[in-house]
Amino acid sequence: EILSQNTKVAPAHHVSTANWAPHLLSVEQFSRESVEDLFRIADIMQPVARRQKTCRVLEGAVLANLFFEASTRTRISFGAAFCRLGGSVCDTTGFTFSSMAKGESIYDTSRVVSGYADVIVVRHPEQGAVAEFAEASNIPIINGGDGPGEHPTQALLDLYTMEREFSRLNKLIDGSHIALVGDLKHGRAAHSLAKLLGLYQGLKITLLAPTGLEMPASILDAASRNGNVIECTDNLASGLAGADVIYATRVQKERMQGEVMEGYGENFQINLRAVDTFCKPDVIVMHPLPRDSRPGANDLSTDLNHDPRLAIFRQTDNGVPVRMAVFAKLLGVDQQIQHSLRDISWVHPQKLG
Ligand code: CP
């Protein structure tokens, strides 16, 4: 069973016996089949996420969002996903507004909150801290990002976005060429995504990082399964050539501990000139966001904002249906959702894109 016996769910819920672990801590929990199953549910959730249909299957359920590190899209999209399924959200942000500021342990915090809610999303600056929450909790815990470790739901929505973008272009992820660009040492979204790409076959994965910010070797091993070819470079022109997807990432200065960052100048930036000069005409440009818009950051440029190749806002939009699908699987209501969506409630469809 996906939920332990002392796991609370709203009374109306039917807890299924789906093949999911009680917590979502790492993409390593996924097989190719379970990813595809999740994406099928995310597809079903799209009209709910877009306010074209309503679904109240989590009526009475409570999500606790515990974010001990800055977030805009992960916290809000998890909350929006839960609310659009009929549930309610309790938030706490930062250590200052948690009793951890008074010395409370992860164990006590997790055990206490698990008595109040039905599922908890945790973001924490230390790798492994979310797994510690899971050890003390009797309800499902979702990793919303643990330091430089993993960000599983971000990588799932990234992969989902790739699949949808490729579908529009009559391409498949299998056999494609994906370029991951930027701070691949500290970028937890890139770590989770590289591991998930290892579930696909015949990929070329280019890891384009400046010296000192290269992808950890253990993640290269996971990405290179299934005959995938990994190429590491710090040359933008050759790294971007032939790529179907550019996945740019921010330099995570908040995680650096005296590392010297060499070569991350303007010649490393993904901008209109680089895309027009080095890339295939139908390349897809992605980024987990936030992008650093401060002078000298050389993150993904805003000069691509109105370019159809830029998928970043389609990517953020996909955060809601993918996170709805995660809740549906973890709380065992995925079958109920499919039935409830037979009753269609249209909400201002003329206003929707
Ligand atoms: N991609 C991502 O995790 O964004 P936030 O930090 O805003 O949640």
Side-chain angles (χ1 to χ4, degrees):
E1 294 218 353
I2 68 160
L3 302 175
S4 58
Q5 288 213 321
N6 54 358
T7 295
K8 290 195 310 164
V9 290
H13 301 167
H14 164 71
V15 179
S16 79
T17 53
N19 189 22
W20 267 51
H23 308 290
L24 174 46
L25 302 177
S26 164
V27 293
E28 289 172 23
Q29 295 170 233
F30 283 86
S31 63
R32 174 83 180 250
E33 291 70 30
S34 59
V35 166
E36 288 174 355
D37 182 39
L38 187 82
F39 290 176
R40 270 192 295 276
I41 299 165
D43 281 344
I44 293 168
M45 300 311 331
Q46 281 283 1
V48 181
R50 291 165 179 250
R51 288 92 77 201
Q52 291 163 333
K53 292 182 184 177
T54 56
C55 177
R56 311 294 297 171
V57 75
L58 291 183
E59 186 100 53
V62 173
L63 161 68
N65 257 338
L66 307 184
F67 276 65
F68 300 103
E69 196 184 65
S71 171
T72 295
R73 72 226 81 234
T74 308
R75 185 172 62 83
I76 294 177
S77 64
F78 264 120
F82 208 74
C83 289
R84 294 219 182 280
L85 291 175
S88 306
V89 182
C90 299
D91 272 302
T92 181
T93 50
F95 288 98
T96 316
F97 297 104
S98 149
S99 282
M100 283 188 161
K102 304 173 202 165
E104 189 162 51
S105 66
I106 286 180
Y107 184 93
D108 284 2
T109 304
S110 182
R111 178 63 190 80
V112 167
V113 177
S114 71
Y116 302 152
D118 300 284
V119 56
I120 305 174
V121 179
V122 185
R123 171 170 288 188
H124 196 283
E126 285 168 31
Q127 185 166 356
V130 181
E132 265 189 73
F133 273 83
E135 281 169 22
S137 172
N138 54 21
I139 62 172
I141 298 274
I142 299 172
N143 182 357
D146 64 327
E150 280 222 36
H151 193 349
T153 59
Q154 177 67 48
L156 287 164
L157 76 89
D158 294 337
L159 196 62
Y160 179 74
T161 302
M162 267 180 216
E163 201 171 83
R164 285 173 72 90
E165 297 286 316
F166 277 174
S167 165
R168 184 170 56 78
L169 298 168
N170 290 319
K171 292 185 185 179
L172 295 173
I173 294 178
D174 289 313
S176 65
H177 178 183
I178 315 287
L180 307 183
V181 185
D183 180 357
L184 304 183
K185 178 176 181 182
H186 304 102
R188 58 193 174 203
H191 295 170
S192 292
L193 180 60
K195 289 181 188 178
L196 278 181
L197 290 175
L199 298 175
Y200 290 76
Q201 294 187 342
L203 272 72
K204 179 176 176 185
I205 303 173
T206 300
L207 302 173
L208 186 48
T211 304
L213 297 182
E214 295 96 342
M215 183 78 85
S218 60
I219 297 169
L220 297 188
D221 289 345
S224 60
R225 284 175 297 187
N226 291 320
N228 294 343
V229 174
I230 312 288
E231 174 193 77
C232 299
T233 179
D234 62 1
N235 183 292
L236 195 71
S238 63
L240 298 186
D244 297 294
V245 174
I246 301 170
Y247 185 88
T249 63
R250 174 177 68 91
V251 175
Q252 315 245 318
K253 291 188 182 129
E254 70 274 26
R255 303 201 197 289
M256 292 196 178
Q257 296 166 330
E259 289 118 312
V260 179
M261 199 178 45
E262 293 169 18
Y264 204 88
E266 282 173 25
N267 61 349
F268 220 90
Q269 190 184 36
I270 303 299
N271 54 28
L272 187 59
R273 187 193 62 81
V275 170
D276 279 345
T277 310
F278 306 131
C279 297
K280 297 202 309 205
D282 62 353
V283 71
I284 298 158
V285 181
M286 298 176 61
H287 191 303
L289 300 183
R291 55 179 157 171
D292 190 343
S293 58
R294 291 172 289 195
N298 294 315
D299 203 339
L300 175 65
S301 172
T302 53
D303 65 5
L304 283 157
N305 273 7
H306 301 289
D307 192 303
R309 293 170 290 188
L310 189 76
I312 58 173
F313 298 118
R314 298 191 286 279
Q315 202 178 340
T316 51
D317 285 350
N318 285 332
V320 175
V322 168
R323 289 179 170 126
M324 283 176 166
V326 166
F327 286 132
K329 292 299 290 186
L330 270 181
L331 295 174
V333 294
D334 47 314
Q335 299 297 324
Q336 272 176 271
I337 281 171
Q338 294 180 49
H339 288 119
S340 76
L341 287 181
R342 288 186 192 143
D343 302 325
I344 298 171
S345 310
W346 290 96
V347 183
H348 306 304
Q350 73 279 9
K351 291 186 184 167
L352 300 165

